[in-house]
Amino acid sequence: MGLIAALALVLVASVAVGAKFIAFDELWRALVAGPGAGGAGGAVDSGDAAARVSENAAIIFELRLPRTWLGLWAGAALGLSGALMQSLTRNPLAEPGLLGVNSGAAAAIVVGISVFGITSPSKYIWFALLGAAAAAALVYALGARGASANIPVKLVLAGAAVSAVLMAVVWGVTLLDSAALDHYRFWVLGSLTGRDSSILAQVLPFIVVGGVLALALAWPLNAMALGDDVARGLGLNPTWVRVLSALAVTFLCGAATAAVGPIAFVGLAVPHAVRSIVGPDDRWVLPLSMLAAPVLLLAADVLGRVLVSPNELQVGVVTAFLGAPVLIALVTRRGPVRL
Amino acid sequence: MRLRAIGSRRRRGVFTAIVLAAAVFIGFIVALLVGDFALAPRDVFGAVFGSGEGSGRFLIVEVRIPRALVAIGVGAAFGISGAIFQSLVRNPLGTPEIIGFTQGSSAGAVAGITLFGATGIALTGWAVVGGIVTALAVWLFAFRRGALGYRLIIVGIGVGAMLNAVTWWLLTRANLATAQSAMAWLIGSLSARSWAHVWVLVGAFVLLVVPLMFAGRTLRILEMGDAAATGLGVRVSAASTALIALAVVLCALAVSLAGPVPFIALAAPQVARRIARSPGVTLLHSGLVGALLLLVSDVVAQHALSGRAIPVGVVTGVVGGAYLAWILTARTRADR
């Protein structure tokens, strides 16, 4: 309950706070007036108040709402995929970057820009999705072989290896092609702005499919936590659970990364926080992470708008600075985090 | 029996060290022979022994020899510092990256380039200061009565991620040309290295040779476990602090001369351990393997794409990643 209230609060704040702060009564009036108010109110000189409503409506409907909406979905996808990945790899450090998803998306985008001359975000998003999926598949093929007891560790190592090669590709391309670097340096920070609403429409199907799949996997993952043998005894096929989880992670995380860029720590920190409150049951951890992550992401976004006002800090910078101390506190206070 | 086994292992160690040194020497010769400007071997050797003349002599003496020597020295420094880190944290992924040194020096260098227009020695200063400050901060967070390993790695990851965000944020604030020159530094490159760089390396290794001899011995004792090491008269926390400091100095040296070239520090100790078939850390072999890796990578980087030299960091990144993947599949086969 508290979580939903927090989410609502952050949503309102994200719409209201920014370079131009909009008071709550004005916010309400502009919302009621609807997106059409921008044109109608501006034409007729019916006083100061109406003009203000129309200006606010323009800001809200064209800038703040899409941004908030995008943050909501991207945050949910990141939180869910982080929780899923930590359960899947039995590794408290697992996060989207780890299975090569981020670097796959980055490499594909850079290649898309440099080789195919694509410069609009709504087009290179497909490259990002494809790259994320390809990298995740490769990591899984490398890491999920041999004795199954070692698979979690090997997945992480395979992720590191694949990421390293892909990042070298990114370095190489961006060094030779300054246009690619110019796009890449803004994409890599992760930001909710400057992305039009068509991007969300493009990735939304992936987020929804991945989300449904992930939530459906909560019970099988609980069983897997007891070990492959127990899971088999309960009538599950561990390989299929792993493959489906990896698929869900790729969908969620690839879509989020494609839409908002590689955002650090949301997928890592949120499931830890949730787990410390409700315990390790994935039937709670997965949905609650899905709700809590957008709170963190949107709060970070709002913070980024206020901190260096009238400029903005990209949300990726803020999450790194919010998330890293949490991580450090986790390990220095309690010793090793275990799953 | 046992003594003889130890003796043969030592002989094997000496033998592989000689073979590795020979390989480095051959690599050095090859690095002198190949280049965009074709030179006959006779001219090359003439230049080396002082009888050549003109542009060929300049190219060999002022360009190729210093570049190859810097590659050898920097590779050795990365290899040794990686070996110390990996041995101390008892994790094959332990590299200068884990204690945030690389990210710190990158953030420092990018700050120097974008905010203050630093170049040359000033840039090196920014990088080294950034790296050392970060390493110190991570060390203070993670250090608790000699307990290392896991906590150090996580604190390093956290601090590294924050610094990465700073680095890229600075890059978005800069204009594109500045960002690109900063990028070139971030990847690590050996182009345009001169004799001044070589002398810095020589001086540093002369100063460090004695500490390094002690370091190898102490590390082998520490690898027996903290309790055994204490029993053998090693003060564990003081020793590991000193060793970390040594590794950081080596890493700072390497980064200041070539930028944060990835993967040498990761791969060299692992390869060295396999070649020497040594159960423990081998600083000498790690250094030689590191030198060989960087030298060969640099030759490849200069000639892999015809007409366009790529920075050596791109090559080591690709090779290193492929190597990690190979370790993974090799281990998997052994599992079965």
Side-chain angles (χ1 to χ4, degrees):
Chain A
M1 276 306 108
L3 204 54
I4 293 175
L7 186 58
L9 189 71
V10 176
L11 284 177
V12 173
S14 173
V15 177
V17 179
K20 181 176 191 309
F21 181 80
I22 302 174
F24 291 104
D25 55 331
E26 292 180 11
L27 176 70
W28 179 247
R29 238 175 287 152
L31 278 175
V32 172
V44 188
D45 192 345
S46 59
D48 198 29
R52 196 140 31 109
V53 168
S54 72
E55 190 194 325
N56 288 342
I59 292 178
I60 288 168
F61 283 96
E62 272 157 41
L63 299 174
R64 303 259 173 91
L65 270 185
R67 178 176 188 167
T68 307
W69 194 229
L70 182 62
L72 182 65
W73 283 101
L78 285 172
L80 198 49
S81 65
L84 196 58
M85 204 176 282
Q86 287 170 13
S87 290
L88 174 70
T89 59
R90 300 270 118 221
N91 188 322
L93 289 182
E95 62 143 357
L98 210 63
L99 288 194
V101 174
N102 285 350
S103 45
I109 284 182
V110 167
V111 168
I113 295 169
S114 178
V115 178
F116 299 99
I118 292 162
T119 50
S120 88
S122 63
K123 291 212 183 85
Y124 62 61
I125 198 166
W126 295 110
F127 280 86
L129 266 174
L130 216 63
L138 185 60
V139 167
Y140 199 81
L142 274 176
R145 308 190 323 173
S148 61
N150 302 332
I151 285 182
V153 178
K154 280 190 290 191
L155 275 178
V156 173
L157 277 173
V162 170
S163 293
V165 176
L166 289 170
M167 286 323 285
V169 171
V170 171
W171 290 125
V173 173
T174 50
L175 197 76
L176 298 179
D177 183 345
S178 62
L181 173 62
D182 203 18
H183 281 274
Y184 177 72
R185 63 181 174 146
F186 287 99
W187 179 82
V188 74
L189 269 182
S191 163
L192 297 176
T193 51
R195 331 257 168 175
D196 54 58
S197 51
S198 68
I199 287 188
L200 183 60
Q202 285 172 351
V203 298
L204 200 53
F206 292 95
I207 296 183
V208 171
V209 171
V212 170
L213 195 57
L215 293 177
L217 281 166
W219 184 81
L221 280 171
N222 268 347
M224 296 268 291
L226 302 173
D228 282 10
D229 291 338
V230 178
R232 241 178 248 120
L234 289 167
L236 290 167
N237 181 337
T239 309
W240 272 107
V241 175
R242 286 211 183 87
V243 169
L244 287 177
S245 307
L247 199 66
V249 165
T250 311
F251 273 12
L252 287 169
C253 185
T257 305
V260 299
I263 289 185
F265 281 112
V266 173
L268 179 72
V270 168
H272 274 301
V274 170
R275 216 174 274 120
S276 71
I277 297 169
V278 301
D281 185 345
D282 276 330
R283 284 171 303 178
W284 285 102
V285 171
L286 290 179
L288 288 180
S289 298
M290 187 177 76
L291 287 179
V295 176
L296 177 62
L297 187 62
L298 288 172
D301 190 37
V302 172
L303 209 58
R305 284 181 235 171
V306 213
L307 278 180
V308 290
S309 174
N311 285 327
E312 291 196 358
L313 272 174
Q314 284 86 345
V315 67
V317 180
V318 183
T319 55
F321 273 83
L322 285 179
V326 171
L327 181 73
I328 293 172
L330 271 177
V331 291
T332 47
R333 289 262 174 73
R334 284 206 231 134
V337 191
R338 295 204 191 284
L339 272 180
Chain B
M1 254 328 259
R2 224 156 134 222
L3 278 178
R4 199 184 300 156
I6 289 171
S8 91
R9 188 170 289 158
R10 177 160 293 167
R11 269 201 301 283
R12 186 186 163 83
V14 173
F15 176 70
T16 45
I18 292 170
V19 171
L20 280 170
V24 171
F25 184 71
I26 293 170
F28 178 70
I29 304 286
V30 171
L32 297 191
L33 286 175
V34 296
D36 285 338
F37 186 81
L39 286 170
R42 195 161 44 112
D43 295 341
V44 172
F45 291 114
V48 172
F49 297 111
S51 66
E53 74 224 16
S55 61
R57 181 181 154 74
F58 174 81
L59 191 65
I60 295 297
V61 174
E62 299 297 328
V63 179
R64 288 190 194 164
I65 290 180
R67 180 172 185 152
L69 287 177
V70 170
I72 290 172
V74 166
F78 270 128
I80 295 170
S81 89
I84 296 176
F85 277 125
Q86 292 182 11
S87 172
L88 276 179
V89 302
R90 301 194 179 113
N91 186 322
L93 291 180
T95 59
E97 277 98 349
I98 59 154
I99 89 160
F101 187 91
T102 309
Q103 291 89 338
S105 61
S106 300
V110 170
I113 293 172
T114 58
L115 302 178
F116 303 95
T119 50
I121 297 293
L123 178 57
T124 303
W126 277 96
V128 170
V129 169
I132 288 178
V133 167
T134 313
L136 211 60
V138 170
W139 178 241
L140 287 176
F141 271 125
F143 185 76
R144 195 169 293 172
R145 275 176 291 129
L148 273 179
Y150 186 82
R151 193 184 294 130
L152 187 68
I153 294 179
I154 304 213
V155 173
I157 289 176
V159 172
M162 292 206 295
L163 289 165
N164 255 344
V166 171
T167 303
W168 283 101
W169 183 71
L170 285 169
L171 282 179
T172 60
R173 312 276 296 172
N175 67 43
L176 189 54
T178 313
Q180 204 154 19
S181 69
M183 205 55 194
W185 191 89
L186 285 179
I187 298 168
S189 161
L190 287 168
S191 65
R193 297 294 175 257
S194 67
W195 281 101
H197 298 103
V198 177
W199 295 128
V200 170
L201 273 169
V202 170
F205 273 109
V206 167
L207 286 179
L208 289 175
V209 78
V210 175
L212 280 174
M213 280 157 69
F214 281 107
R217 213 182 79 84
T218 315
L219 276 173
R220 271 189 292 277
I221 294 173
L222 282 177
E223 281 187 348
M224 296 173 188
D226 288 357
T230 310
L232 287 168
V234 174
R235 284 185 301 149
V236 173
S237 59
S240 42
T241 305
L243 284 165
I244 287 265
L246 183 61
V248 166
V249 167
L250 279 168
C251 189
L253 176 71
V255 167
S256 67
L257 290 173
V261 181
F263 264 109
I264 301 287
L266 174 71
Q270 296 289 317
V271 174
R273 205 170 267 216
R274 278 171 178 70
I275 292 179
R277 294 213 191 134
S278 156
V281 62
T282 50
L283 292 186
L284 177 64
H285 295 83
S286 301
L288 287 170
V289 172
L292 189 62
L293 279 177
L294 191 59
L295 191 60
V296 172
S297 300
D298 192 41
V299 173
V300 172
Q302 289 178 68
H303 309 292
L305 294 184
S306 59
R308 184 120 206 208
I310 49 177
V312 67
V314 174
V315 175
T316 59
V318 171
V319 172
Y323 159 76
L324 250 184
W326 173 75
I327 285 196
L328 221 56
T329 47
R331 279 224 188 125
T332 307
R333 243 178 272 131
D335 278 352
R336 277 181 184 158

